[in-house]
Amino acid sequence: MTKYYLGIDLGGTKILTALADDRGAILGKRKIMTEANQGIANVLANIVHASQVVLDTSSLSFADIQRVGVGIPGWVDVEAGLVHHAPNLKWEQVPITRLLEAETGTPVVIENDANAAALGEWLWGAGKGACSLIYITVSTGIGGGIIIDGRLHRGKDCRAGEIGHMIIDPKGSRCSCGNNGCLEALSSGTAIANRGKEVVEERRPSILIDFCQGDSSKVTAALVSRAAQEGDHVAQEILTTAGYYLGIGLANLVNLLSPEKIILGGGVMKAGDLILESTKCTLQDITKASSLGSSVEICKAALGDESGVVGALMVARNRLPDDNFHIP
Ligand SMILES: [Zn+2]
């Protein structure tokens, strides 16, 4: 009899749900808004609704589902099924597994969202076949998941992978965590938008000023990327600098873990190759003495926005006592 699994990528803005069978074929997907500001009960109802829609299209019900896997943006205890802290959802100490199991009547397993995305890319995406890799999402913030010797590295209390808060320049911009010069404060979409806003406020010669009609509050990372693609040198410099700092972060990771691959995902990496080229150059430059930078393959995520939901499906399908993940 065919077994079915549901994967849920629970984001601060959107929920992406996917249904797959035990051969790994994805049978349906659904994206809806999270509406985190309307409370936990509302978010749970949205998850159940999106899942129900996907199940209906395949004439299935929750009773046909072996397990639901959920990727969550925050600090989670995977064993206890507990979300300790998820700032984007405004959740503190939420027993998500128990709550969702009560709603669906189906076993639920959880994972940190970046870890889930790392698993998705490892098992089905750009990391296929690698024994060790680091997945980094460069988006509004920066997060990561680490696979070492064929296993997900969660660290003590499932807190490993806070790549965005590695300090790259102690004299750099203030990070949301309170420190200065974290990778997230230098290379994230938020950081890129902030540099763009400064350009507009300082009235430096840039097409960005036209793009936002002189209103710096309208500057986004996407707008900076558009300006760069149209040949604006100031915008190009912003992206090159973001890539430079990301390259320093990658060099630190390569020196520490020497992975086979580093996979870069998230919205910022989709905006042209300027950041990626700058990142690679910096990595090669910093590691030239050891040549470690040459031994690692730097690539973009193959699953795009779906790394997380595919990873959540993998979590649902493969969560075993030894936590080894088996490639379908
Ligand atoms: Zn920080």
Side-chain angles (χ1 to χ4, degrees):
M1 203 179 93
T2 308
K3 293 178 178 173
Y4 299 95
Y5 300 89
L6 271 173
I8 294 162
D9 184 15
L10 174 57
T13 311
K14 289 174 191 140
I15 297 167
L16 182 56
T17 303
L19 170 69
D21 65 19
D22 52 3
R23 290 168 306 155
I26 292 187
L27 307 173
K29 288 181 284 192
R30 180 81 176 184
K31 187 187 278 187
I32 63 166
M33 301 308 283
T34 309
E35 301 175 321
N37 54 357
Q38 294 185 36
I40 293 167
N42 194 63
V43 173
L44 291 177
N46 286 340
I47 291 172
V48 172
H49 172 69
S51 303
Q52 198 69 63
V53 170
V54 171
L55 288 168
D56 284 349
T57 55
S58 293
S59 302
L60 296 170
S61 72
F62 278 112
D64 298 303
I65 299 298
Q66 295 287 312
R67 231 172 355 253
V68 180
V70 191
I72 294 168
W75 173 24
V76 300
D77 182 333
V78 299
E79 299 297 333
L82 177 72
V83 180
H84 285 297
H85 176 62
N88 291 345
L89 298 168
K90 300 183 178 68
W91 284 9
E92 298 288 335
Q93 304 301 326
V94 174
I96 181 70
T97 295
R98 181 167 60 75
L99 295 173
L100 260 186
E101 285 180 346
E103 292 282 336
T104 63
T106 307
V108 173
V109 286
I110 62 170
E111 186 56 77
N112 165 269
D113 63 344
N115 283 352
L119 290 170
E121 287 292 334
W122 179 39
L123 298 173
W124 270 11
K128 260 187 179 177
C131 259
S132 58
L133 65 83
I134 300 173
Y135 169 83
I136 303 176
T137 173
V138 188
S139 185
T140 311
I142 293 181
I146 300 165
I147 311 284
I148 302 176
D149 297 335
R151 293 179 75 102
L152 178 65
H153 177 72
R154 293 197 185 89
K156 185 174 181 292
D157 300 329
C158 306
R159 301 200 77 175
E162 288 290 354
I163 288 165
H165 297 290
M166 294 192 303
I167 294 180
I168 303 297
D169 176 4
K171 295 194 172 82
S173 306
R174 179 62 66 113
C175 181
S176 58
C177 73
N179 287 324
N180 287 325
C182 293
L183 182 59
E184 183 166 302
L186 299 169
S187 300
S188 67
T190 307
I192 290 166
N194 286 342
R195 297 299 91 73
K197 285 173 184 166
E198 286 166 14
V199 165
V200 173
E201 283 157 12
E202 292 164 9
R203 295 280 162 198
R204 291 173 61 190
S206 167
I207 199 172
L208 266 178
I209 296 174
D210 298 333
F211 281 0
C212 70
Q213 290 108 33
D215 180 356
S216 66
S217 69
K218 289 183 182 164
V219 176
T220 60
L223 208 63
V224 175
S225 294
R226 209 181 106 206
Q229 277 161 9
E230 296 206 6
D232 185 82
H233 293 301
V234 175
Q236 287 172 346
E237 188 192 317
I238 291 173
L239 296 185
T240 305
T241 304
Y244 164 73
Y245 288 123
L246 185 56
I248 295 176
L250 262 52
N252 291 340
L253 292 169
V254 167
N255 279 327
L256 185 67
L257 296 170
S258 187
E260 286 174 52
K261 291 187 180 183
I262 295 182
I263 301 170
L264 299 171
V268 170
M269 299 316 298
K270 286 193 278 184
D273 285 334
L274 211 53
I275 293 181
L276 186 62
E277 291 310 316
S278 171
T279 300
K280 284 181 174 176
C281 277
T282 307
L283 172 64
Q284 297 302 336
D285 194 36
I286 293 177
T287 59
K288 60 178 177 290
S290 67
S291 76
L292 268 172
S294 313
S295 69
V296 61
E297 185 186 340
I298 310 294
C299 51
K300 286 192 183 182
L303 301 173
D305 296 337
E306 295 183 1
S307 315
V309 77
V310 169
L313 277 168
M314 294 295 105
V315 170
R317 186 176 180 277
N318 291 294
R319 179 63 59 77
L320 299 168
D322 67 356
D323 224 9
N324 276 320
F325 288 83
H326 302 274
I327 297 170

